[in-house]
Amino acid sequence: SGRGYEGSVSAYLVNFKDRLLSVQSGSGIQGNPVILSNVGDVRSTGIEGALSFRLSPTLTWYNSLSLSRSTYQDNVVTKDANNQTTTVAIAGKHVVDAPDQMVKSILSYDDGSWFGNLGADYMSKRYYSYTNDASVPDRTLVNLSAGYKMKHVMMLREISLQASVNNLFDKHYISTIGSNGFTNSDATGTYATLLPGAPRQFYVTLTGKF
């Protein structure tokens, strides 16, 4: 930290032993119970950093970055109802729903009365099949908010009115993956496990503090 800025950085290495995953048996709509499967070892490495600048007494710029890599270390052997074994080659493959990069940047203004912020949020692609043949693309979302606050209004210590816009540019993207579980392979891209993100949304919020 120093005059006008504050930052941090951290690195990590995590080795999971005998990690268990819930594997869907049959299609999700059938309602079959999931099967706990030992997928062996999983390794996660990464580095994370954050840096905040005080550009002026009223203006702050916050930034964060996460770079990571999570991979399965072993193949998985499964058995069907006829006791036939199948090897699922996932050794070295990315862990499902684990993006490699995430970036966030927020510019904030507050002069004691007027306040607001403009933020951008980036996430890299994510896999939803264990063999990594199916994924959803990266996405960047922009959010905007602005408001005004007053002190000592009637019986209230503070009152504020804020307008917000989420997904400012009405980005079409996939928000949730794995809603129907994950699958070993989905080369055709037809496995029903994806949920779309919310479109552009507007909010107006009135807040009072006693």
Side-chain angles (χ1 to χ4, degrees), residues 185-201:
S185 175
D186 186 33
T188 59
T190 57
Y191 190 68
T193 190
L194 311 179
L195 296 176
R200 184 191 295 120
Q201 295 177 303

Side-chain angles (χ1 to χ4, degrees), residues 2 6 50 78 99 107 116 126 129 132 144 184:
E6 183 175 348
T78 62
L107 187 64
R126 293 167 291 163
S129 68
N132 290 175
L144 175 66
N184 288 335

Side-chain angles (χ1 to χ4, degrees), residues 79-140:
K79 289 185 179 182
D80 58 21
N82 298 317
N83 209 32
Q84 298 296 316
T85 61
T86 301
T87 300
V88 183
I90 64 172
K93 301 296 184 180
H94 279 72
V95 171
V96 293
D97 199 12
D100 284 351
Q101 299 98 29
M102 292 187 293
V103 181
K104 181 173 290 188
S105 183
I106 303 174
L107 187 64
S108 302
Y109 175 86
D110 191 341
D111 65 5
S113 296
W114 292 99
F115 63 94
N117 63 69
L118 175 65
D121 188 336
Y122 170 80
M123 180 184 294
S124 63
K125 74 175 183 179
R126 293 167 291 163
Y127 295 99
Y128 66 88
S129 68
Y130 292 116
T131 56
N132 290 175
D133 64 351
S135 63
V136 298
D138 61 341
R139 57 95 175 129
T140 301

Side-chain angles (χ1 to χ4, degrees), residues 13-86:
L13 167 62
V14 181
N15 288 313
F16 294 94
K17 297 295 184 181
D18 298 322
R19 185 170 180 177
L20 298 178
L21 288 183
S22 298
V23 179
Q24 187 76 45
S25 57
S27 62
I29 197 172
Q30 290 177 296
N32 295 333
V34 296
I35 299 173
L36 283 178
S37 297
N38 189 330
V39 297
D41 296 348
V42 175
R43 174 172 293 177
S44 296
T45 59
I47 184 170
E48 297 178 350
L51 185 60
S52 180
F53 297 98
R54 174 68 70 174
L55 303 178
S56 74
T58 60
L59 197 61
T60 304
W61 185 24
Y62 171 82
N63 301 273
S64 67
L65 170 67
S66 174
L67 303 174
S68 64
R69 181 178 176 86
S70 299
T71 55
Y72 302 108
Q73 301 298 295
D74 304 286
N75 292 328
V76 175
V77 178
T78 62
K79 289 185 179 182
D80 58 21
N82 298 317
N83 209 32
Q84 298 296 316
T85 61
T86 301

